[in-house]
Amino acid sequence: MTTRPLRRPAAASAVQDAGCHAGPDHLCMPEDARKRAARRLNIARGHLDAIVRMLDDPDAYCVDVLRQIKAVQGALSGAGEVVLRGHLEAHVATASTRGDSVELVEELMEALKYT
Amino acid sequence: MTTRPLRRPAAASAVQDAGCHAGPDHLCMPEDARKRAARRLNIARGHLDAIVRMLDDPDAYCVDVLRQIKAVQGALSGAGEVVLRGHLEAHVATASTRGDSVELVEELMEALKYT
Amino acid sequence: MTTRPLRRPAAASAVQDAGCHAGPDHLCMPEDARKRAARRLNIARGHLDAIVRMLDDPDAYCVDVLRQIKAVQGALSGAGEVVLRGHLEAHVATASTRGDSVELVEELMEALKYT
Amino acid sequence: MTTRPLRRPAAASAVQDAGCHAGPDHLCMPEDARKRAARRLNIARGHLDAIVRMLDDPDAYCVDVLRQIKAVQGALSGAGEVVLRGHLEAHVATASTRGDSVELVEELMEALKYT
């Protein structure tokens, strides 16, 4: 595992969370991105609940269900964008000052791969 | 709206649901696909709950959250595949015998568009 | 391999190609979809040529290249939609009358999987 | 437009191209990524040529064409990954030292959006 020093460069505009235990081996998600991603995922969860209820009805029609699933996938993509943007700003854009560019880029490319 | 006659061709292997009110204007999702899609969406919902809880922790790390969101998107794609397969077998493959090919294909292409 | 009889149901609106050797084991792409997909792929090829030339320039900027690649991917998706629509209309919608629904749906689900 | 100073931080491992006119307003693609992306795009182009020729044959089958289009899309995604990785390493990971994090992240999020 790579070591990631606590020191944050001044250029990082992302607000660091009070409860964050950032340390040599850990970077915390910016609080704003964390809150906004949670809000979006909560909405997606409500939407998913509605699809599950919809599937209790023997009259449900396939294409209606497909459309609803696509809508939830869109909401999850939106939450993923919030997280990715926060990560790029707070951690990737500051990587060369911490010296962990190679690890962070490798890790991110891996995480983006499986859609 | 297109009219879709109740008559089902013998070739449709999909089991029709007892509670389905299929009629001139309505096709019901095959029961098997409906049950299996619901099971998969329930699992995705549990996974989504776990991500929302994960985001309560100020120590959450962006890339971990990204990976979890991707996993739920994969589960939703799996549920979507179940629904699509059921629709192709029960409704699209039998369209020319009902005479609603044009409408069904148009509707499906539209539903598949937004990923 | 499944056998696919030459007989085409009247419901298939797709024009069958003069040169098509459709037979027990073969379905041909509707001529219109074939011509339109070729036109779109030709345009995508020209665009791809332009990106390759762009990459000869040491001043090329990553994000410009990324955007151009996305544009070609969009063009390929458009060509894929033309092919899919033709296949659904000419072959999937008529499957139950030929008796090869199971094979056609299986084959299509497999082909749609790898995006 | 944002100004991007020529000065490169030592942490950037990407080899800078001899012919690159990087300056206050311009970042050049790392030479290695540029060469590798070009190679992959050339292969994709050859593959695309083969599909266009395949579509000259009235016997072409829809699902075969769909599969080939997917294969080219996969090749383009691979080329896009090479470009993205180079950009993250050479430009995004060094953004906070240049002071253009906000612009680079915004630009990248925008470019990643349209798949």
Side-chain angles (χ1 to χ4, degrees):
Chain A
M1 241 317 212
T2 174
T3 53
R4 297 177 188 137
L6 191 111
R7 172 180 53 88
R8 283 289 131 73
S13 62
V15 177
Q16 195 57 57
D17 217 320
C20 164
H21 296 90
D25 280 333
H26 191 64
L27 295 170
C28 297
M29 202 169 157
E31 182 171 13
D32 176 58
R34 199 161 56 77
K35 297 270 161 85
R36 288 200 301 136
R39 251 195 312 275
R40 281 171 178 251
L41 292 179
N42 263 318
I43 292 169
R45 190 170 52 168
H47 202 150
L48 200 45
D49 282 344
I51 310 178
V52 173
R53 279 195 304 274
M54 186 178 172
L55 287 169
D56 279 339
D57 182 357
D59 276 347
Y61 177 51
C62 313
V63 178
D64 294 335
V65 177
L66 271 183
R67 281 192 199 111
Q68 298 303 321
I69 291 177
K70 294 269 174 189
V72 177
Q73 285 179 310
L76 290 181
S77 292
E81 272 178 40
V82 167
V83 179
L84 176 59
R85 181 186 290 266
H87 184 56
L88 290 172
E89 283 173 358
H91 306 142
V92 184
T94 57
S96 76
T97 61
R98 280 193 317 278
D100 57 6
S101 301
V102 175
E103 295 85 356
L104 250 76
V105 170
E106 190 55 49
E107 180 189 63
L108 181 56
M109 291 303 297
E110 196 58 37
L112 291 178
K113 201 167 259 174
Y114 315 103
T115 316
Chain B
M1 243 310 213
T2 174
T3 54
R4 296 175 190 142
L6 191 112
R7 173 179 53 89
R8 283 290 132 73
S13 63
V15 177
Q16 194 56 58
D17 217 319
C20 164
H21 296 89
D25 280 334
H26 191 64
L27 296 170
C28 297
M29 202 169 158
E31 182 170 14
D32 176 58
R34 199 161 55 79
K35 297 270 161 84
R36 288 200 301 137
R39 253 196 309 277
R40 280 172 179 248
L41 292 179
N42 264 318
I43 293 169
R45 192 170 49 168
H47 201 150
L48 199 46
D49 283 343
I51 309 178
V52 173
R53 281 195 303 273
M54 186 177 171
L55 287 170
D56 279 338
D57 181 357
D59 276 348
Y61 177 50
C62 314
V63 178
D64 294 335
V65 177
L66 271 183
R67 281 191 199 111
Q68 298 303 320
I69 291 176
K70 293 268 175 191
V72 177
Q73 285 179 310
L76 290 181
S77 293
E81 272 179 38
V82 167
V83 179
L84 177 59
R85 181 187 288 267
H87 183 56
L88 290 173
E89 285 173 356
H91 305 142
V92 184
T94 57
S96 75
T97 61
R98 279 193 317 278
D100 57 7
S101 301
V102 174
E103 295 84 357
L104 250 76
V105 171
E106 190 55 48
E107 180 189 63
L108 181 56
M109 290 303 298
E110 196 58 37
L112 290 178
K113 202 167 256 172
Y114 316 104
T115 316
Chain C
M1 242 313 211
T2 175
T3 53
R4 296 176 189 138
L6 191 112
R7 171 179 54 90
R8 283 291 132 73
S13 63
V15 177
Q16 196 57 60
D17 217 318
C20 165
H21 296 89
D25 279 333
H26 191 64
L27 295 170
C28 297
M29 202 169 159
E31 182 170 12
D32 176 58
R34 198 161 57 78
K35 297 269 162 85
R36 288 201 301 137
R39 252 194 311 275
R40 280 171 179 249
L41 292 180
N42 263 318
I43 293 169
R45 192 170 49 169
H47 201 151
L48 199 45
D49 282 344
I51 310 178
V52 173
R53 281 194 303 272
M54 187 178 171
L55 286 169
D56 279 339
D57 181 358
D59 276 348
Y61 177 50
C62 313
V63 178
D64 294 335
V65 177
L66 271 183
R67 280 190 199 114
Q68 298 304 321
I69 292 176
K70 293 269 175 190
V72 177
Q73 284 179 311
L76 290 181
S77 293
E81 272 179 39
V82 167
V83 179
L84 176 60
R85 180 187 289 266
H87 183 56
L88 290 172
E89 285 173 357
H91 306 141
V92 184
T94 56
S96 75
T97 61
R98 280 192 317 276
D100 57 6
S101 301
V102 174
E103 295 84 357
L104 250 76
V105 170
E106 190 55 51
E107 181 189 63
L108 181 56
M109 291 303 298
E110 196 59 36
L112 291 178
K113 201 167 256 171
Y114 316 103
T115 317
Chain D
M1 242 313 213
T2 175
T3 53
R4 296 176 189 138
L6 191 112
R7 170 181 53 89
R8 284 290 131 72
S13 62
V15 177
Q16 195 56 58
D17 217 319
C20 165
H21 296 90
D25 279 333
H26 191 65
L27 296 169
C28 297
M29 202 169 159
E31 181 169 15
D32 176 58
R34 198 161 57 78
K35 297 270 162 84
R36 289 200 301 135
R39 252 194 312 274
R40 282 171 178 250
L41 292 180
N42 263 318
I43 292 169
R45 191 170 50 167
H47 202 150
L48 200 45
D49 282 344
I51 310 178
V52 173
R53 280 195 303 272
M54 188 179 170
L55 287 169
D56 279 338
D57 182 357
D59 276 348
Y61 177 50
C62 314
V63 178
D64 294 335
V65 177
L66 271 182
R67 281 192 198 110
Q68 298 303 321
I69 291 177
K70 294 269 175 189
V72 177
Q73 284 179 310
L76 290 181
S77 293
E81 273 179 37
V82 167
V83 179
L84 176 59
R85 181 186 289 266
H87 184 56
L88 290 172
E89 285 173 357
H91 306 142
V92 184
T94 57
S96 76
T97 60
R98 280 193 316 276
D100 57 6
S101 301
V102 174
E103 294 84 357
L104 250 75
V105 171
E106 190 56 48
E107 180 188 63
L108 181 56
M109 291 303 297
E110 196 59 36
L112 290 177
K113 201 167 256 173
Y114 315 103
T115 318

